Amino acid sequence: MKIIELNIYGYGQFNHINFTLNPHAFQVIYGKNEAGKSTIMSFIQSILFGFPAKIQNENRYEPKQVKTYGGALIVDTEQYGKVKIERLPGKAAGEVTLYFENGETGSREILDQMLSHFDKSMYKSIFSFDIHGIQQVSKVSADELGKFLLSSGLLGTDALLQTENHLLKKQELLYKPNGKKPEINAALSRLKTLYSDMLKAKEQIQPYEELMKEKEMIERQLMAKTESKSFLEAKSRRLAEIIDALPLWIEEESILSELTKINQAFPADGLKRMDEIEAKEEPLLSEKRSLVRLLEDHQQAIHQMSVNESILSNQAEIEHLRDTNSAYHAKKDQHQQYSLKYGALSRKISEEKERLFEKDLEDESVLSINTSITAKEEIREIVSDYQQLQQRKQLLDQQFERAKENLEESENRLTDYAKGLLGAEERKLLEEKVKQQEAMQQQVLDEKRAEDEYRSNEKKINEQSKTNQSKKNQMNIMKAAAAVLLILCSGWIIYEQQWLILPFLLGLIGLVFFFLFQNDNGEDAFLIHLRDKQEELKRQLEQSRGQGYTDTEELRGILWKDEQLRRSHELEQVTFAQNERAYHRTVSGFDEWEEDLYQLNRKAKKAYSDFRMSSEFSPLALPDLLQTLFQLQKDILECSQIETKLAELTSALSAYEKQLEGVCEKCGFDQKTDLNEGMRHLSAALQDSIEKQSRQLMTLEKIADAEHRLAKIEADLSLLSEKKKELFHLSNSADAEDFRKKAEEENNRRSLEQKLNWIQQQLQAKKHLLKDGKLDFLIDYKEEKLLCDKELKGAIEQESSMQRRLAELTAALQNIEGSGLYSELKQKYELEKGAVKQLAHKWAVLAAAKNMLNKTVEFNRSVRLPKVLEGAEHFFSIMTNHQYRKIFLPDSEQTLLVEKADGNRFAANELSQATAEQLYISLRLSLARHLSSDQGLPIIIDDGFVNFDFDRTKQVLSLLEEFSKQHQIIFFTCQEHLLPLFKEEQILDLKALDQAAKQVSIGQRLL
């Protein structure tokens, strides 16, 4: 079985999504953490085996975004083909339905058969493993590693090892041979102590032993008396039953005595058999008489019938003529239709020949004309070329008219441009005037600039004058201030008589006055420069105003227009040249067209010549003419076929008419002019002869049947007579009356036997009374019963007395036991004894379970495991690069041995961690192949090799690649570095599919 598609309606993070798997390859499902790998693996197991129950710890992966839960798997099987397995919520593990290719549906029973009746836990332990299973190898101790690998080879898991260890631990918790803490050991120790204490307490009570002995003696006597009472009660009941049944036994003896006296020679059911024989004999005699009369009537009827033998001798030929009569008329009608069609076709052919050909042609000549596909292609090519030439002609005419118009228009424009151009002298004179006007315009510009500069300079002179006046006022104020200061200083010196300072002060005053009066006398140099420049500008303006100028815009417009006309004239000259070339090309195109038309006409004439037709037709008529010629050929051929058919029909009609004439002569009929009338006479005569012959044969069959029935009746009568004689012989009877007398005696005997049978049935329930022999009817059984009842009454009184004494002794012992330590110790002893028995029973159950487990292991070791190891050797050799070649199973040990290529052998606990993991994988794969049916269930691996290095990973993947030829491998991984080891078509990227699904979803929402 191989999974080819997953349809997830709603499961975990997936909803309404499909995954297509490759069933013929090693399928890899790649995705990062949280991408949904575990969800898909759980989905596959849930669809195959059912959803987890809500009370289980296993995740159910119920969807959060949608309400739909479940989905379907499409699998490919050898037995059923492609099957859709759909599981939806329902009772327990969900409702599963199988849909087959033929439209039928199936239930869970067929699914269990497809899964080879594996349940989910068994499937996961054999066909599914992950990193946790491989890492379990490293967690097992060295002593237990061999058992672990052996258990994996048997069941796919360490369940056997865990179960064995679990049972052993439970046994050791209950009992150990030399232990003290186990429950049974501790309970036995307590029981031994209690028994010792109880014996010590018992020795302290003296009368207890005597009472105990008397109690035991009375119990023995009471038991014997009870047995004696039971015997007497049984004897009394037996005697009572004998007394009740004694009359029946006596009557039985009497009937047996009477039966011995009656003759038993009469046959069983003799009278009934005689009555049955006589009852059968009477209707047989009556039927015999009627059959004799019937035979006489049939013989007379046969003599009255007469049959025409000549008609019957020619029956087959007449029936053939009758059966083929309708075909004869159909052929006759067909002959007439063909004759009419032949005439019409002949006239049509003649008319077409006259229309198509110049002279009359024979049909063979017409048929010899080539109308094949090659000829049709040639005609189609001629017509196509002719149509193209016509289109070219129209195009050339249009191009010629267009080129002619363009050329004339261009020539007119050139003339117009030439008229509007200026002469060379006139243009030169205008250009000189423009230059003069431009010089004058430059002078105007210079004058404007001078005026502007004059006004600007005048403004600067005014500003500078104002500045100088302001400075002069400030200087006057300073002079006044200095004079006042000098006066004050001079007064102070004189007043203070500081004559030493006076020379210094006088010198300072002289310098100040010199500086002030020096600046006051000079005029500003910048102002002088401005006034000189102003005079110069004034002089220039006066000179420029004396000259005048003329406006040049009109002259420039004339020159610009002339320049534009010259450029347009040059461009038009180029356009004229182009139009002239186009005109010449069009003219040359007409020449080429005429040459092509000439060649095409030659081809058309040749085609008409091949068709033996007149060339007056247009080439465009060639396809219609060819079609007409082709139809003419078909009509000629059809006419020839009709002519042949007419000949065949004429021959068939003539043969039928001759055969009919011959049959009429044989049968003695005159040949009629009308064939239909003759055929009707023959048919009627044949039908009459057949009916007479049929009646004659039926009468003969009736005679034969009557004779057969008469012979059978005579045989039955003879048999009944023999049976009568046999009954007379068995009953020793001379005749029927004697036979009936003996029959009455037989009835009396039978009534006695019935009565005897009823008595024996009543006595059947009393058969146990005769086990000691036959009863003696002379004994008085009533007296015997009275004596037995008297003895039984005495035994009951003695038993009652013993029971009273036993009750007294029991009460006395209970008082003694309840008054001291002995009773308490005895109670504890009995309780402890019961507890030990329960613990011993538990230990025995565990021992039996362990024994059954060991027997199961030994059975699988001898039956299944050798085949598993044979496959594991091959896988282990591939994964270890053929370093190991053999795997052995020791007879007396629960472990495995492996042999290297050099012959050295190692136990499982001596292998390295990596080699032990490789051995574990080999055993798991071999077990999966061994337990698989012919279908082969898929192998699911969830990142089982993350701890392997690159070389070991390649070895495992190469093994799985080989394994995938018989089993589908679904490998889940999140390791991106492993992807280059697989082909692109083997990889299913969950992230890419998720993005594609989102894009589709967005597109659907946009739509």
Side-chain angles (χ1 to χ4, degrees), residues 265-278:
F266 196 80
D269 296 332
L271 184 61
K272 182 179 178 182
R273 289 160 64 184
M274 179 60 73
D275 292 339
E276 288 177 353
I277 290 171
E278 290 177 352

Side-chain angles (χ1 to χ4, degrees), residues 107-123:
S107 58
R108 181 179 176 182
E109 289 73 15
I110 299 177
L111 179 59
D112 291 340
Q113 183 180 357
M114 291 168 58
L115 296 173
S116 302
H117 300 284
F118 283 113
D119 58 10
K120 187 175 183 179
S121 60
M122 197 68 176
Y123 176 83

Side-chain angles (χ1 to χ4, degrees), residues 8 150 153 164 222 323 473 489 503 582 605 644 809 860 886:
I8 302 179
L150 179 63
E164 184 181 6
L222 186 60
D323 294 339
N473 293 332
C489 288
K605 289 179 180 180
T644 304
L809 291 173
N860 285 283
K886 290 288 184 181

Side-chain angles (χ1 to χ4, degrees), residues 58-173:
E58 189 174 353
N59 192 354
R60 284 173 55 84
Y61 289 97
E62 293 183 352
K64 306 295 185 184
Q65 299 178 354
V66 296
K67 295 182 180 179
T68 306
Y69 181 47
L73 296 178
I74 298 178
V75 301
D76 190 4
T77 63
E78 292 185 1
Q79 183 177 359
Y80 301 102
K82 289 185 178 179
V83 182
K84 179 180 180 181
I85 306 172
E86 182 182 56
R87 189 178 294 272
L88 298 173
K91 296 181 181 179
E95 297 293 337
V96 63
T97 306
L98 278 65
Y99 299 92
F100 300 97
E101 290 182 303
N102 58 4
E104 296 180 356
T105 58
S107 58
R108 181 179 176 182
E109 289 73 15
I110 299 177
L111 179 59
D112 291 340
Q113 183 180 357
M114 291 168 58
L115 296 173
S116 302
H117 300 284
F118 283 113
D119 58 10
K120 187 175 183 179
S121 60
M122 197 68 176
Y123 176 83
K124 292 175 70 174
S125 65
I126 296 174
F127 299 96
S128 175
F129 60 91
D130 52 15
I131 183 60
H132 304 294
I134 297 177
Q135 287 178 344
Q136 193 68 23
V137 178
S138 61
K139 297 179 183 178
V140 179
S141 63
D143 296 334
E144 298 291 336
L145 182 59
K147 291 184 179 180
F148 173 79
L149 293 174
L150 179 63
S151 177
S152 299
L154 289 173
L155 295 179
T157 63
D158 59 344
L160 284 177
L161 178 61
Q162 292 180 2
T163 304
E164 184 181 6
N165 292 336
H166 178 69
L167 292 174
L168 183 61
K169 287 179 181 178
K170 281 196 169 184
Q171 279 186 296
E172 291 178 349
L173 289 175

Side-chain angles (χ1 to χ4, degrees), residues 591-602:
D591 296 337
E592 294 175 359
W593 176 81
E594 290 176 353
E595 178 63 25
D596 293 340
L597 180 62
Y598 173 74
Q599 296 295 334
L600 183 62
N601 287 330
R602 289 184 60 187

Side-chain angles (χ1 to χ4, degrees), residues 282-345:
E282 181 62 27
L284 288 175
L285 290 171
S286 175
E287 188 177 1
K288 179 180 178 181
R289 288 191 293 271
S290 63
L291 285 174
V292 170
R293 288 194 301 270
L294 184 63
L295 285 172
E296 293 174 353
D297 294 340
H298 287 331
Q299 292 291 343
Q300 185 177 0
I302 287 175
H303 290 301
Q304 293 176 356
M305 293 180 187
S306 60
V307 180
N308 190 344
E309 294 297 334
S310 61
I311 294 290
L312 292 175
S313 62
N314 293 288
Q315 179 182 355
E317 199 168 358
I318 293 171
E319 288 178 347
H320 174 70
L321 289 170
R322 185 180 60 193
D323 294 339
T324 57
N325 186 44
S326 59
Y328 166 78
H329 289 290
K331 288 179 180 179
K332 194 170 183 180
D333 295 339
Q334 195 174 10
H335 183 274
Q336 186 177 1
Q337 292 174 1
Y338 277 128
S339 299
L340 295 173
K341 190 174 182 180
Y342 179 77
L345 275 177

Side-chain angles (χ1 to χ4, degrees), residues 427-554:
R427 180 177 178 79
K428 186 176 180 182
L429 181 61
L430 286 175
E431 287 176 351
E432 289 178 355
K433 286 182 179 181
V434 169
K435 288 180 181 179
Q436 291 175 0
Q437 292 294 331
E438 287 177 351
M440 292 176 68
Q441 286 179 355
Q442 186 65 36
Q443 288 179 0
V444 171
L445 291 174
D446 292 343
E447 182 182 351
K448 287 182 179 180
R449 281 196 299 273
E451 288 179 354
D452 293 338
E453 189 175 358
Y454 178 80
R455 284 191 293 271
S456 177
N457 194 54
E458 187 176 7
K459 186 177 180 181
K460 289 179 181 179
I461 291 171
N462 293 331
E463 290 176 355
Q464 189 65 32
S465 298
K466 290 179 181 180
T467 303
N468 291 339
Q469 184 64 36
S470 177
K471 288 181 179 180
K472 188 175 181 180
N473 293 332
Q474 291 177 359
M475 186 62 67
N476 292 331
I477 293 170
M478 290 176 64
K479 287 179 180 179
V484 173
L485 183 63
L486 287 175
I487 293 170
L488 292 173
C489 288
S490 300
W492 179 79
I493 292 172
I494 295 171
Y495 179 76
E496 292 291 334
Q497 295 181 0
Q498 296 289 335
W499 308 112
L500 294 175
I501 302 174
L502 185 60
F504 174 75
L505 179 61
L506 292 174
L508 179 61
I509 291 170
L511 289 173
V512 169
F513 277 101
F514 175 80
F515 175 73
L516 291 174
F517 287 105
Q518 181 70 29
N519 289 334
D520 186 44
N521 294 330
E523 194 175 12
D524 189 4
F526 179 67
L527 184 60
I528 295 170
H529 170 70
L530 290 176
R531 287 174 177 172
D532 293 341
K533 187 176 181 181
Q534 183 76 356
E535 290 295 330
E536 179 66 26
L537 290 172
K538 185 177 180 181
R539 184 181 57 79
Q540 290 179 0
L541 285 173
E542 289 176 353
Q543 290 178 359
S544 63
R545 285 171 183 164
Q547 300 175 358
Y549 65 91
T550 306
D551 189 8
T552 60
E553 292 299 327
E554 184 178 355

